[in-house]
Amino acid sequence: MSNRSVINTDRAPAAIGTYSQAIKAGSTVYLSGQIPLDPATMTLVEGDMEAQIRRVFDNLAAVCEAAGGGLQDIVKLNIFLTDLSHFALVNEVMASYFQQPYPARAAIGVAALPKGAGVEMDGIMDIA
């Protein structure tokens, strides 16, 4: 018998491929990548890069809550940016969503992201 369960919420964008929003295995939750899609319209949020970053954190928060935790339970966060010059802005916005101790993190520059997004984030959460 598997100790895995699918996490799903309508407060975050529906999966647009062959994946789940998150998978819980024991006390670990693996969060799929979130881009700045509005969950109601499934379109990219309007506005600047800050709006995109905030939407991604809001989407991640919704999935974390559906799994029984919150952003503060993320132990590893991966950030993908099409323009690494936005790294300082990510730090600034992230500080309004997280408190110390911050999760371990990587920021990776990529050539492109789905739907033309400028940012995507995924993570691992521990809800023990």
Side-chain angles (χ1 to χ4, degrees):
M1 181 182 276
S2 175
N3 68 346
R4 295 184 331 163
S5 58
V6 175
I7 306 301
N8 189 45
T9 178
D10 60 3
R11 292 183 43 236
I16 54 175
T18 54
Y19 63 92
S20 301
Q21 289 175 328
I23 295 290
K24 181 179 176 188
S27 65
T28 304
V29 179
Y30 299 89
L31 304 162
S32 289
Q34 289 289 329
I35 61 174
L37 291 179
D38 179 319
T41 64
M42 291 298 289
T43 59
L44 285 177
V45 295
E46 293 186 20
D48 60 8
M49 188 61 177
E50 182 175 347
Q52 287 195 37
I53 294 166
R54 288 190 181 282
R55 180 75 256 170
V56 170
F57 280 126
D58 291 343
N59 290 345
L60 283 174
V63 177
C64 288
E65 290 166 14
L71 288 176
Q72 210 54 37
D73 296 306
I74 294 177
V75 295
K76 175 68 167 102
L77 183 67
N78 295 310
I79 302 166
F80 305 92
L81 293 164
T82 58
D83 183 346
L84 284 173
S85 71
H86 295 298
F87 185 69
L89 181 59
V90 169
N91 282 335
E92 181 183 318
V93 174
M94 187 172 169
S96 71
Y97 283 86
F98 289 83
Q99 299 82 39
Q100 290 189 19
Y102 300 120
R105 187 180 78 175
I108 303 150
V110 297
L113 290 167
K115 301 213 179 247
V119 60
E120 181 172 358
M121 297 181 206
D122 68 14
I124 300 171
M125 184 171 74
D126 180 21
I127 55 173

